[in-house]
Amino acid sequence: MTTRSHIGFWLAIFALLFFATPVMRNGEAMEAFAAREMALTRATFGDSTADTLQRQANVVFALYTPKDTLGKAVVHGRDMDLTKMLTGTTGVAAAKGFNSYVQGLILNMFVIVLRLFIFLLWAVILLPVFIAAIIDGFVQRAIKRAEFGAIRPAAYTLLSMVVIPLAMAPLIYLVIPLPISPLVSPLWALVMALPLSAMVSNMQPIFGRN
């Protein structure tokens, strides 16, 4: 599997989970899901940081998501009466199911935005870990070249197949339909650092340069 197809696969998983989560959870269950996610954020960062993250998420959610457009798609009032008149109870049940899905989709977008800000906060904190891992990889590579050690393309390819899914993990984290503690981010960074360093240490020269 090429790097592009690998990334495409994880993007497809992201899209699947994004649209499937409101099917697995109705409107009320999604509200409880969003509340649980906020409670985990408060338990991890404290009220002050959690309130800041929530305010930022609310601003982005209000300005940069299609929540208003989706909200207009909800069937209610005269439209619901017309649906009942034309299709009977079956149509009403379908309309209520559609309303629940749309409401779930809107709440799902809020959870995604909140998790994005949580991850960005951790990314700033954990950036030195990744910088250290990359520098360590280049140092190990330089040592191998100085001592005529083997820089293995096969090891680089194998490690890249580990690093790519790990690199895409934050994207999947945004849409996993389960409450997840924000503490998963530092754990992810620790798991990511070692194969990233090893991959860099086996990276081949580009255009004949070391």
Side-chain angles (χ1 to χ4, degrees):
M1 183 181 290
T2 65
T3 299
R4 179 176 295 182
S5 60
H6 214 317
I7 293 174
F9 170 78
W10 291 108
L11 289 175
I13 295 295
F14 173 87
L16 176 64
L17 289 174
F18 174 77
F19 289 107
T21 296
V23 176
M24 294 182 279
R25 296 175 181 271
N26 60 27
E28 292 182 359
M30 281 299 299
E31 289 179 4
F33 174 46
R36 176 59 178 163
E37 197 71 24
M38 198 62 238
L40 287 171
T41 304
R42 291 186 181 281
T44 302
F45 295 111
D47 289 339
S48 179
T49 302
D51 287 341
T52 299
L53 290 171
Q54 187 175 16
R55 284 195 300 271
Q56 293 172 335
N58 282 331
V59 170
V60 172
F61 177 67
L63 296 178
Y64 300 107
T65 64
K67 69 178 188 67
D68 292 334
T69 302
L70 288 173
K72 292 177 182 177
V74 173
V75 181
H76 58 82
R78 293 181 60 184
D79 292 334
M80 184 66 78
D81 294 337
L82 182 60
T83 299
K84 183 176 182 180
M85 181 178 66
L86 295 176
T87 61
T89 56
T90 302
V92 171
K96 288 181 178 179
F98 174 77
N99 290 348
S100 178
Y101 178 82
V102 170
Q103 291 165 358
L105 199 61
I106 292 172
L107 286 170
N108 194 32
M109 287 191 296
F110 173 76
V111 172
I112 289 172
V113 173
L114 176 63
R115 284 180 172 178
L116 177 61
F117 276 101
I118 291 171
F119 177 77
L120 291 176
L121 175 62
W122 278 117
V124 172
I125 297 172
L126 297 170
L127 183 60
V129 175
F130 294 107
I131 293 175
I134 293 171
I135 292 174
D136 179 68
F138 278 115
V139 170
Q140 293 300 321
R141 181 174 175 272
I143 292 172
K144 288 181 182 180
R145 293 183 63 82
E147 297 179 350
F148 301 99
I151 297 178
R152 300 179 176 87
Y156 174 84
T157 301
L158 180 62
L159 287 164
S160 69
M161 301 304 288
V162 175
V163 169
I164 291 173
L166 287 174
M168 298 300 291
L171 186 67
I172 304 303
Y173 156 72
L174 298 180
V175 290
I176 291 177
L178 296 170
I180 299 177
S181 170
L183 293 175
V184 73
S185 292
L187 178 61
W188 164 79
L190 292 175
V191 174
M192 177 83 170
L194 288 178
L196 178 62
S197 176
M199 185 186 77
V200 172
S201 71
N202 286 283
M203 188 170 62
Q204 297 298 298
I206 300 175
F207 302 123
R209 299 178 61 183
N210 292 337

